[in-house]
Amino acid sequence: MPRFSDGTPAHGVPRVRGGHPEQRETGGGWGELGGRPAAPGEPARPGPPLPRQRQGPPQGPRQEYLDAFAGDDDVFAARRPPYRTAAPAQPADPYSSVTDWSADDDGGTTLATDAGAGGDDAPPTGEPASDKGGKGRAFTGVAAAAVTTVLAIVVAGQVADGSDGSGTRSQSAAGQARDTRDPSSRTDELPTPPAPVAPLTYEQKMGKKYPLGADLKGSGRFDAIPGIAKAPGTGQKYTYRVDVEQGLDLDGELFAEAVQKTLNDQRSWAHNGARTFERIHSGRPDFVITLASPGTTADWCAKSGLDTTEDNVSCDSAATERVMINAYRWAQGAKPYGDAILPYRQMLINHEVGHRLGHNHVTCDKDGELAPVMQQQTKFIDHDGIDCRPNPWAYPNG
């Protein structure tokens, strides 16, 4: 491309303007100029010649510069430059990070600011460069890079101060996830926990019937209920042990508690402090109160000449140490008492222990009277046209 006599580059060649210090390059894009560039209208003043490393026209831009700005060439397409010339080492440009774009290692194109192309004082000549073609794309790429840099700075600032909203979105997402998956965050949807069930009282347990067959015959083996229940009174003391036949599936502890409470009640044989009863689990007691199946009860009662198979009743096997309580009656009760199972069980204990204490059967004498505790109330309440009332106590008036 021709060069004007005053040293001004031909029309259409881009000029570099800026405030950076000049650094001349050997064999630069505009040929060899030893001194400063000539001002418009001033003849060129040659300076000391610089060493050259290739032969070529003394003036005019290098061919690779012309190629770089060809109209149909994409400066951002990967390509290899025609050639590179080794240049002498130059002082490092402190602004090279923003002014030096050169071809990178993978063949991409970067911008190189030629300090020797002209100084800040050189006035612009020629017409403005067209935004079409290679030059337009080059400047568009530079502008895009600048915009990208500004965006990167803005985004970096937002990340630094947390203003990008990601924390808010994360918290919102976390809250939504906890809202849908964590029941502790939605107390309005938590099921109401069931109220704690209070354990049954002694009276409640004694007022329930339990399933047990009328013809059941157990193993005949017994377990003593462990523990001691001290005699509460000061009268004549009787010791006893509570045995429960194995396999009955009844509450032996409840049975033992019922015996102790019943016998030491003032309406029972402990009336007026005459007697007191103490439960033991070892040693030799005065008697053993035994809860056994109907079959086992019949066997033990037969040892004392008593037949309990008729009406499926209990007995005091006086020839042995055992007072037998029929488990079927304990679990199911008897017709004269109906559903009043608690007083019926108290009557069973008082009646059979009464035999052990030497009392025999008796009946009521008048209509409407309480049946004596030694009446066979499992079998009947009324007798001989006399209407009696059920009664579990030896001294019902206390």
Side-chain angles (χ1 to χ4, degrees):
M1 178 178 292
R3 180 181 182 90
F4 295 114
S5 61
D6 63 356
T8 301
H11 173 67
V13 177
R15 302 174 62 88
V16 179
R17 295 179 60 84
H20 304 304
E22 286 186 340
Q23 293 184 359
R24 300 187 179 279
E25 176 183 353
T26 302
W30 301 100
E32 298 176 344
L33 293 176
R36 66 175 179 82
E42 179 185 352
R45 290 177 296 181
L50 297 176
R52 301 184 60 176
Q53 297 190 13
R54 69 176 177 83
Q55 297 298 324
Q59 292 181 346
R62 291 200 303 255
Q63 184 63 37
E64 63 269 26
Y65 278 73
L66 299 177
D67 293 339
F69 289 93
D72 298 328
D73 196 0
D74 187 356
V75 297
F76 290 95
R79 69 177 183 273
R80 294 181 59 84
Y83 62 86
R84 291 181 181 272
T85 59
Q90 298 293 330
D93 182 359
Y95 303 99
S96 61
S97 62
V98 294
T99 64
D100 186 12
W101 285 22
S102 59
D104 52 24
D105 293 339
D106 59 0
T109 302
T110 53
L111 175 64
T113 301
D114 189 354
D120 292 338
D121 298 332
T125 62
E127 298 178 358
S130 171
D131 59 353
K132 299 181 181 180
K135 291 183 293 179
R137 287 192 296 271
F139 286 111
T140 300
V142 173
V147 173
T148 302
T149 303
V150 172
L151 291 175
I153 293 173
V154 172
V155 171
Q158 290 178 341
V159 172
D161 64 8
S163 63
D164 62 343
S166 62
T168 303
R169 288 192 299 270
S170 299
Q171 293 176 3
S172 177
Q176 183 177 7
R178 181 173 67 248
D179 189 55
T180 56
R181 294 189 295 269
D182 185 4
S184 64
S185 68
R186 296 181 62 86
T187 56
D188 56 331
E189 294 184 2
L190 286 176
T192 303
V197 178
L200 296 178
T201 64
Y202 166 77
E203 287 76 12
Q204 290 171 331
K205 290 185 285 186
M206 286 287 286
K208 294 178 59 178
K209 293 183 180 181
Y210 302 98
L212 195 139
D215 56 354
L216 176 66
K217 183 172 184 178
S219 63
R221 294 188 295 272
F222 305 97
D223 291 327
I225 300 300
I228 296 174
K230 288 291 186 178
T234 58
Q236 182 180 358
K237 184 169 75 173
Y238 290 82
T239 60
Y240 69 96
R241 189 179 75 235
V242 172
D243 285 358
V244 177
E245 188 175 11
Q246 296 176 3
L248 286 184
D249 197 24
L250 293 175
D251 189 345
E253 296 285 350
L254 176 63
F255 176 70
E257 182 180 6
V259 170
Q260 179 71 3
K261 286 184 175 181
T262 299
L263 291 180
N264 286 289
D265 193 293
Q266 285 298 303
R267 295 167 293 178
S268 184
W269 304 112
H271 178 68
N272 280 341
R275 305 176 183 86
T276 187
F277 298 87
E278 181 172 293
R279 179 171 66 86
I280 62 175
H281 71 278
S282 62
R284 186 172 182 84
D286 293 320
F287 54 91
V288 179
I289 300 181
T290 306
L291 182 64
S293 64
T296 302
T297 297
D299 290 344
W300 276 90
C301 291
K303 295 180 180 182
S304 298
L306 301 173
D307 183 6
T308 58
T309 58
E310 184 179 354
D311 298 321
N312 213 356
V313 293
S314 303
C315 82
D316 166 40
S317 182
T320 71
E321 63 178 359
R322 296 189 181 277
V323 175
M324 304 298 299
I325 304 296
N326 190 320
Y328 169 72
R329 293 299 180 185
W330 176 264
Q332 292 292 309
K335 186 176 180 179
Y337 276 76
D339 292 332
I341 188 69
L342 189 157
Y344 175 75
R345 289 168 177 163
Q346 293 169 329
M347 187 275 300
L348 274 180
I349 294 169
N350 281 325
H351 182 93
E352 302 304 336
V353 171
H355 282 306
R356 177 65 55 160
L357 295 177
H359 298 280
N360 296 318
H361 289 152
V362 293
T363 60
C364 67
D365 297 330
K366 297 179 181 179
D367 286 340
E369 285 185 344
L370 292 174
V373 71
M374 297 308 299
Q375 183 172 320
Q376 293 178 296
Q377 297 182 54
T378 295
K379 296 181 178 181
F380 61 91
I381 295 294
D382 300 333
H383 68 93
D384 301 325
I386 299 175
D387 186 13
C388 302
R389 292 184 294 144
N391 167 47
W393 300 110
Y395 301 92
N397 296 323

